[in-house]
Structures are given as structure tokens and as C-alpha cells.
């Protein structure tokens, strides 16, 4: 698995934990890495990317949540599953604040996170909402 995919997974796990506890972003990331470590060495690029994503989502969360609410049809943020909500937050952060990551890559990676961590419906929900947000942000 690539460094960015691993980083996205750990960032998602950390964001999920942040909703469930009073941990700091750094503590949640360390917990996510520790839970996933199986005696393997952590890829420094994956660690860096996970930190950038988790800290970025945390610092822009209000703005990101407003975009989710604005573009989700008939779904309030608090009615979404925690996984879907945090996958969307990661995707929107990438779309809005990471011009180095193409739209297609961001959406595809978010859909994969939805498939791997969410429900059967997560991937279609994430795909549709991120596509609407990307169009609104004019992300090529």
C-alpha cells in the first residue's frame, strides 16, 4: 500500500477518534498508528501526510462542515455516520486545500475509504457529494 493511502487511513482513524474523545490530534494520530503497527516500521512519508490531513481537517473543520451541509441533499451532518462524515471531511480538505492532488485521485481515494471503513452505501454517497463539492470549488 502506498504512503498516501496509508496516511489517509490513519488520518481517518484519528478523525474518528477525535469525535469520540478529548484527545489531541497528535494523540489520536499516535493511537491510530499504534493500533495499525504490527512490528513494521512506519513510512515517514505516510506519517507526514496523515499529520497534514488530520491537522488540516481539524483547523478548517467548520468551513468543511458548512460545505458538506450545503451540498448534501436531505442529509444533516449529525445524521451521517461518523465514518462517512470524516471521509467527506478528508476529501473536501484535499479538494480545497491540496492543489497538488488531482480531483479524480481525491474522489477515488475517498470512495475506497468509504468501501473499506463504511457501509455498502458509503462509497456512492461519498462519490456523489464530493463530486458536487469539487464542481462548486471548480477543482479540475
Amino acid at each position: 500500500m502506498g504512503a498516501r493511502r496509508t496516511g489517509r487511513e490513519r488520518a481517518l482513524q484519528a478523525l474518528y477518534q477525535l469525535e469520540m474523545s478529548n484527545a489531541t490530534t497528535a494523540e489520536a494520530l499516535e493511537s491510530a498508528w499504534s493500533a495499525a503497527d504490527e512490528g513494521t516500521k512506519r513510512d515517514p512519508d505516510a506519517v507526514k501526510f496523515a499529520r497534514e490531513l488530520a491537522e488540516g481537517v481539524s483547523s478548517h473543520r467548520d468551513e468543511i462542515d458548512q460545505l458538506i451541509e450545503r451540498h448534501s441533499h436531505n442529509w444533516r451532518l449529525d445524521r451521517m455516520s461518523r465514518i462517512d462524515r470524516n471521509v467527506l471531511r478528508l476529501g473536501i480538505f484535499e479538494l480545497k486545500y491540496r492543489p497538488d492532488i488531482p480531483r479524480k485521485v481525491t474522489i477515488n481515494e475517498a470512495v475506497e475509504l468509504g468501501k473499506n471503513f463504511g457501509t455498502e452505501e458509503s462509497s456512492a454517497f461519498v462519490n456523489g457529494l464530493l463530486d458536487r463539492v469539487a464542481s462548486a470549488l471548480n477543482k479540475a
Side-chain angles (χ1 to χ4, degrees):
M1 187 177 335
R4 286 199 166 187
R5 168 129 337 145
T6 301
R8 283 183 184 94
E9 287 183 359
R10 298 305 166 266
L12 174 63
Q13 292 165 328
L15 292 171
Y16 185 92
Q17 183 177 346
L18 288 170
E19 283 200 28
M20 304 293 291
S21 71
N22 291 325
T24 66
T25 304
E27 291 167 340
L29 279 166
E30 181 55 36
S31 177
W33 283 107
S34 294
D37 280 346
E38 297 171 358
T40 59
K41 186 176 177 190
R42 295 179 191 176
D43 181 334
D45 292 334
V47 172
K48 180 178 185 262
F49 189 59
R51 186 181 65 249
E52 289 170 357
L53 292 177
E55 289 174 353
V57 168
S58 294
S59 65
H60 296 285
R61 187 169 146 180
D62 290 340
E63 181 183 3
I64 291 168
D65 285 355
Q66 288 173 8
L67 283 168
I68 293 171
E69 292 257 350
R70 189 175 314 136
H71 295 283
S72 62
H73 301 281
N74 304 317
W75 279 96
R76 288 192 338 258
L77 198 62
D78 63 344
R79 299 279 321 266
M80 295 175 191
S81 77
R82 283 188 177 94
I83 290 294
D84 292 352
R85 186 169 49 233
N86 285 299
V87 169
L88 290 168
R89 286 173 176 153
L90 280 171
I92 291 172
F93 174 76
E94 285 189 27
L95 289 169
K96 188 162 175 72
Y97 296 102
R98 294 297 303 251
D100 59 314
I101 304 172
R103 169 187 180 158
K104 185 176 181 176
V105 171
T106 294
I107 293 174
N108 287 342
E109 289 293 320
V111 167
E112 285 301 312
L113 286 172
K115 285 180 185 175
N116 293 336
F117 292 93
T119 65
E120 276 186 35
E121 296 83 24
S122 294
S123 59
F125 177 68
V126 165
N127 186 35
L129 203 145
L130 287 181
D131 193 52
R132 286 192 296 275
V133 171
S135 294
L137 294 173
N138 294 317
K139 173 90 180 209

